[in-house]
Amino acid sequence: MSLFRVARQLSVACSVIAANLRTALEYRVSFILKIVSAFIIDIGFFFVWYIFYEQFPVVNNWRFSDTALLLSVAWMGLGLSGLFAFGAYRLSCNITEGKIDSYLLLPQPILLHLAISQTDVSCVGPILSSSLMFWASGYASWLSIPIFIVVSIMSALITTNFIIITQSLAFFIGNFEETADVLKHMLMFSIPYPPTIWGPMKFITMTIIPSFFIATVPMGLIKNFDIISLMLFIGFWLFSTWLARSVFYRGLRSYESGNLVTLKI
Amino acid sequence: MLKAYKYFSIFYVNLRSKTAHMPDVLSRAPVMLLRLWILERLYSTAYLSAGAKNFGGLSVAQIIWIVMIVQCLTISTRPRVSAIIDEEVKSGALAYTINRPYSYILFHYFGFFGRMIPGFLTIVIAGIVSALLVSGAISVTITAFFGAILLLLGGFTLDFFIRLSLGLLAFWLEDTTAFSDLYDKSVAIVGGWFFPLALFPKTVQTVCEYLPFSQLGYGAARLFVNFDGALFFRYLTLQAAWIIIMIVVALMLYRKGMRNVSIQGG
């Protein structure tokens, strides 16, 4: 793929996302309410963890500052993923209802266009709260901030890949929305806990529900940067990207068009 | 008598409809098992680190049973009444339902219970099996069992009226999902969904007990695992007060909202 083509696709993606944000801003009250409520929820959740560690200061060598850092990276990743690629979260619904037809005619890559076609503005809340959590963790420094930004973006990409894989299963299994939603909630629920409590079940967080790569590895990179963990992180990101593309495009071959008439501007 | 039969029919139709969608409810069972397992690991490790067998008067097994009951309540109240009413108001379908020979609020109340009962019974069986697998059995007295049932029924009623009020906000706002999300997550944070109030510091615990979120399922769950007569009457009073407050709020919003409908022509 030429550099020019990549730049052109990025430019189109930016235009679509900007248009999505302008559309969301049309309903100003709702826009602000969604962001504020998401922010309050995250801070409330963070406060509960603070109380937990007040009662139990050390859990298997894991402290509040570790949870704060873990949550900050994961929430930033989830926030960025939902803000820029919320279309991926609606994939199974669009597949079941046969709403992908209009995207098949577009000159841009279908998967990219589907993913960026929608924006969840409430995800601005987690992005703001995760910045506060990062500061509260005590790990924020001039050196760690750039690492935090880069690993959060990669965490967002892995999260999006996971969502694409689970949502694309709707191509093969009918009415998969509920199960895809369950898998998403399983991922979100498995993130905030100390990785040291998982024991032999840790393999679940490295495979089916990849919270290890979405939260634990990037968090470790901020705490103690090492090249092996970075390679592992990049390797898993590349693997998940390949898997997401393969599952989606293989499924697309068996996609049955709907008879809905839709207008895309 | 005929009136009662009318609402019983609404209840029965919704019950039959929900029974047809049991796989949806059951798909949540593995998630509950995973959640309970993670929480059991978390609390066991935390108790071990603190060198305690009981914390806030609760053992690890009791915490797991509390969390299980609260999660059963939140799972069985799907689909959310607020989302149904929000959609009815926005789509204009409300214009048809308010003209029918039944009370709009009672129609939704009985429909809610019709949908909730099969879902709750199914998920609670899955929850009991999960809790037994994860943390083992706990001893429960007959008084605790019936006390918890009474508080749970009140909890479902309170949840209905809060969600009804949130859904009715659609008369004034273009989207009420932000409020519904805030409510759902507040239940998760201070409603004993993963962290029992008994583990909170005393002041925070008292504040949270006065909020409606802990009166949905937490009160019932807390008494189910460790019954206390004084606490039961305290929770019953708080719950009754919140139910009355939310009925008044819902009726006010409904009457004001109806005036908006007639102005716009439905």
Side-chain angles (χ1 to χ4, degrees):
Chain A
M1 198 187 288
S2 70
L3 211 63
F4 173 72
R5 212 173 148 201
V6 172
R8 201 181 58 186
Q9 281 175 11
L10 272 175
S11 159
V12 172
C14 288
S15 306
V16 173
I17 291 161
N20 288 342
L21 287 172
R22 276 199 299 274
T23 310
L25 261 169
E26 225 12 67
Y27 302 102
R28 260 164 227 271
V29 177
S30 174
F31 181 85
I32 294 164
L33 275 176
K34 277 182 178 177
I35 293 171
V36 171
S37 63
F39 181 77
I40 293 170
I41 288 162
D42 290 337
I43 295 300
F45 188 66
F46 189 60
F47 180 64
V48 170
W49 277 108
Y50 171 76
I51 290 173
F52 177 86
Y53 283 100
E54 282 287 298
Q55 308 282 19
F56 308 105
V58 185
V59 179
N60 247 6
N61 295 323
W62 194 264
R63 291 162 203 278
F64 174 67
S65 57
D66 298 313
T67 294
L69 186 60
L70 186 85
L71 282 174
S72 68
V73 179
W75 262 222
M76 181 64 91
L78 288 165
L80 290 172
S81 169
L83 186 67
F84 296 116
F86 193 64
Y89 293 74
R90 306 276 308 142
L91 211 54
S92 63
C93 186
N94 286 333
I95 293 164
T96 309
E97 292 174 10
K99 286 182 180 170
I100 296 186
D101 300 21
S102 54
Y103 294 94
L104 297 173
L105 304 170
L106 295 171
Q108 300 302 323
I110 301 162
L111 182 55
L112 175 73
H113 217 86
L114 264 166
I116 59 167
S117 64
Q118 287 180 54
T119 293
D120 182 7
V121 286
S122 66
C123 289
V124 175
I127 292 171
L128 295 174
S129 59
S130 67
S131 309
L132 266 180
M133 290 174 198
F134 182 54
W135 172 77
S137 73
Y139 286 102
S141 68
W142 289 114
L143 191 71
S144 66
I145 289 171
I147 302 173
F148 172 72
I149 294 168
V150 173
V151 294
S152 297
I153 292 170
M154 285 184 65
S155 171
L157 291 170
I158 295 174
T159 306
T160 310
N161 288 337
F162 169 77
I163 297 293
I164 291 170
I165 294 163
T166 52
Q167 295 277 328
S168 296
L169 293 175
F171 281 122
F172 311 99
I173 309 161
N175 290 324
F176 198 70
E177 294 106 296
E178 186 80 13
T179 316
D181 193 47
V182 165
L183 289 167
K184 186 188 85 181
H185 281 103
M186 272 177 149
L187 172 73
M188 290 174 81
F189 190 81
S190 65
I191 287 173
Y193 303 95
T196 47
I197 66 163
W198 285 86
M201 295 288 273
K202 198 173 182 177
F203 80 95
I204 291 180
T205 65
M206 298 168 112
T207 50
I208 309 163
I209 314 285
S211 56
F212 179 75
F213 293 101
I214 287 168
T216 315
V217 174
M219 178 237 170
L221 282 168
I222 298 169
K223 255 179 100 173
N224 297 306
F225 187 87
D226 74 284
I227 204 79
I228 295 168
S229 297
L230 182 69
M231 289 297 146
L232 184 75
F233 193 37
I234 293 172
F236 187 80
W237 165 57
L238 290 172
F239 170 72
S240 65
T241 307
W242 168 80
L243 193 64
R245 275 180 59 86
S246 304
V247 174
F248 177 80
Y249 283 106
R250 186 159 290 209
L252 196 61
R253 282 186 225 156
S254 57
Y255 171 68
E256 286 175 17
S257 169
N259 58 358
L260 286 171
V261 178
T262 52
L263 179 67
K264 290 270 165 203
I265 300 168
Chain B
M1 187 64 195
L2 200 65
K3 263 190 174 180
Y5 182 72
K6 187 164 61 182
Y7 292 112
F8 174 75
S9 302
I10 294 164
F11 167 83
Y12 186 66
V13 166
N14 278 281
L15 188 136
R16 289 292 302 270
S17 163
K18 186 70 184 181
T19 316
H21 294 98
M22 274 302 114
D24 284 357
V25 180
L26 279 173
S27 71
R28 303 256 160 195
V31 189
M32 182 179 282
L33 178 64
L34 182 75
R35 277 181 193 152
L36 295 184
W37 183 80
I38 296 172
L39 290 171
E40 197 277 333
R41 295 295 309 139
L42 176 76
Y43 286 110
S44 294
T45 317
Y47 273 45
L48 199 68
S49 302
K53 282 199 169 171
N54 268 282
F55 220 93
L58 297 173
S59 66
V60 174
Q62 285 174 325
I63 290 178
I64 298 306
W65 280 80
I66 288 178
V67 169
M68 183 274 287
I69 294 170
V70 176
Q71 295 199 6
C72 282
L73 183 135
T74 56
I75 291 171
S76 60
T77 51
R78 288 165 190 264
R80 307 290 191 219
V81 175
S82 47
I84 296 170
I85 292 170
D86 178 279
E87 186 55 35
E88 275 186 6
V89 174
K90 281 195 285 194
S91 69
L94 180 98
Y96 299 101
T97 39
I98 54 171
N99 285 330
R100 303 243 168 98
Y102 51 63
S103 153
Y104 179 75
I105 293 177
L106 286 179
F107 168 76
H108 276 294
Y109 184 71
F110 282 90
F112 167 77
F113 269 87
R115 288 190 302 273
M116 177 277 290
I117 286 174
F120 183 74
L121 291 178
T122 313
I123 201 67
V124 93
I125 292 168
I128 289 169
V129 173
S130 304
L132 285 172
L133 285 172
V134 164
S135 64
I138 53 163
S139 60
V140 180
T141 62
I142 296 285
T143 326
F145 180 79
F146 286 106
I149 297 275
L150 186 66
L151 282 172
L152 260 182
L153 286 173
F156 279 116
T157 301
L158 179 59
D159 182 70
F160 169 79
F161 281 102
I162 293 175
R163 288 191 189 280
L164 175 74
S165 306
L166 292 174
L168 289 172
L169 287 175
F171 279 118
W172 296 275
L173 299 166
E174 61 266 7
D175 192 2
T176 64
T177 49
F179 289 107
S180 298
D181 283 351
L182 193 59
Y183 172 65
D184 280 335
K185 298 292 172 12
S186 301
V187 175
I189 294 166
V190 289
W193 198 80
F194 80 105
F195 194 71
L197 295 192
L199 301 186
F200 279 64
K202 209 73 196 157
T203 329
V204 184
Q205 195 180 321
T206 313
V207 172
C208 292
E209 274 179 357
Y210 279 102
L211 297 173
F213 315 112
S214 60
Q215 299 309 323
L216 300 167
Y218 176 73
R222 170 74 180 78
L223 289 160
F224 180 78
V225 302
N226 193 359
F227 192 80
D228 175 340
L231 200 62
F232 172 71
F233 285 108
R234 188 173 138 84
Y235 283 159
L236 199 66
T237 315
L238 278 169
Q239 196 184 62
W242 272 112
I243 290 172
I244 293 166
I245 291 169
M246 289 320 299
I247 288 175
V248 173
V249 170
L251 282 173
M252 275 169 57
L253 287 171
Y254 179 70
R255 283 182 188 150
K256 272 189 172 267
M258 282 304 120
R259 280 205 283 272
N260 280 8
V261 172
S262 49
I263 289 164
Q264 292 166 5

